[in-house]
Amino acid sequence: MNWVLNTIAYADLVKNDNFGQLDMLQSIQEIGFKTVELRSEYFDGSDQELRDLKTTSQVLGMQVFLSIPAALFEAGKLNAKLDEFFTLPQAVGAVQLKINLGAYDPASVADDMLIVNEKIAQTGLSIVLENDNTPETGSSDYFKGFLEKYANDHVGMCFDVGNFLFFHEDPVQAVQKVLPYIHYVHLKQVEEATRASLAGLSVGDVDITSILKAIDVEIPVAVECQYLASDVDEVAEKSKLICVILKPV
């Protein structure tokens, strides 16, 4: 698999104000990950940090993706922060942006996507749209309806394997519906009965193996789960073990 490590793996350590994403990059590179997915909610708000993240990832030879916890569409309209969605990834040297799709308006979405694709052409970014954990804007049918019309080489789906269980859709069946449009995968585990995201990937109700068998091995797959850890080395050990376990898939 084309493995990516999402920095949520270090979430326990982020609670310490003295530990940020810059502190993770060396560890992630040493584990063997060639791509890191940064999270905008972990930024400290300074331009200096953004510059340092870009420089450090380049020195380490790492590819950068960026996750922003927002939706492309809100109440049928393009998000008012659309410009920020495209400038922030550039500031950290990211080549891909992950955001939620959100609720679009069928009457205006074609014109809206012209604007989005123009920004993609201007910046060189790709965007992947993630299914959230609601049936209204997270179901596979909803995504298939959108992607059949608006997916292209630079617009695709971030298939979050766990979010479907929040509204009791089988992710193994869901992946077959949207398979041609999946450009990226988020791996996490969920306990369906409690609708809780779990630490690590070893326990939960998501059939991760079956999902990965359906996906092309060239598609980037991110380990997007928090590890309960007290130091960087512990996170590294657990992340490396997951990739070894899932490698034969």
Side-chain angles (χ1 to χ4, degrees), residues 15-215:
K15 295 174 184 177
N16 180 342
D17 291 340
N18 295 319
F19 190 88
Q21 291 180 110
L22 269 172
D23 302 298
M24 306 173 193
L25 291 181
Q26 184 75 44
S27 169
I28 292 170
Q29 191 258 4
E30 289 176 352
I31 300 170
F33 287 91
K34 297 180 180 179
T35 305
V36 58
E37 184 175 20
L38 302 175
R39 301 178 72 92
S40 67
E41 67 266 34
Y42 290 170
F43 292 156
D44 66 13
S46 70
D47 291 339
Q48 184 63 52
E49 183 192 36
L50 303 182
R51 290 191 293 267
D52 289 344
L53 284 165
K54 182 175 183 178
T55 300
T56 303
S57 62
Q58 290 174 342
V59 169
L60 293 173
M62 299 182 69
Q63 180 174 242
V64 175
F65 295 165
L66 178 63
S67 168
I68 297 179
L72 182 62
F73 293 96
E74 289 188 333
K77 297 181 179 180
L78 277 174
N79 196 307
K81 294 183 177 180
L82 185 66
D83 288 342
E84 180 182 327
F85 293 162
F86 282 89
T87 57
L88 194 55
Q90 293 178 91
V92 294
V95 297
Q96 175 180 282
L97 166 67
K98 191 284 301 180
I99 52 177
N100 289 348
L101 174 55
Y104 63 88
D105 183 347
S108 58
V109 65
D111 289 338
D112 291 335
M113 288 307 297
L114 289 176
I115 296 172
V116 172
N117 282 304
E118 183 178 352
K119 290 189 176 295
I120 288 171
Q122 291 170 351
T123 61
L125 283 169
S126 292
I127 64 171
V128 287
L129 303 167
E130 185 179 47
N131 51 295
D132 63 23
N133 58 15
T134 70
E136 294 79 14
T137 54
S139 73
S140 59
D141 286 337
Y142 180 74
F143 266 74
K144 182 179 180 180
F146 177 86
L147 294 166
E148 281 178 331
K149 295 180 179 179
Y150 302 111
N152 57 49
D153 288 345
H154 298 285
V155 177
M157 182 178 185
C158 172
F159 188 89
D160 186 298
V161 305
N163 282 347
F164 294 99
L165 292 187
F166 282 78
F167 50 91
H168 307 298
E169 180 174 1
D170 183 351
V172 177
Q173 294 180 11
V175 74
Q176 295 298 331
K177 292 184 182 180
V178 294
L179 194 58
Y181 314 110
I182 296 174
H183 290 188
Y184 190 40
V185 177
H186 270 178
L187 289 187
K188 67 184 180 191
Q189 269 294 1
V190 169
E191 184 178 63
E192 186 171 8
T194 60
R195 299 181 180 183
S197 293
L198 305 175
L201 296 177
S202 59
V203 177
D205 294 322
V206 180
D207 185 353
I208 288 176
T209 300
S210 293
I211 292 169
L212 291 182
K213 283 181 177 178
I215 294 168

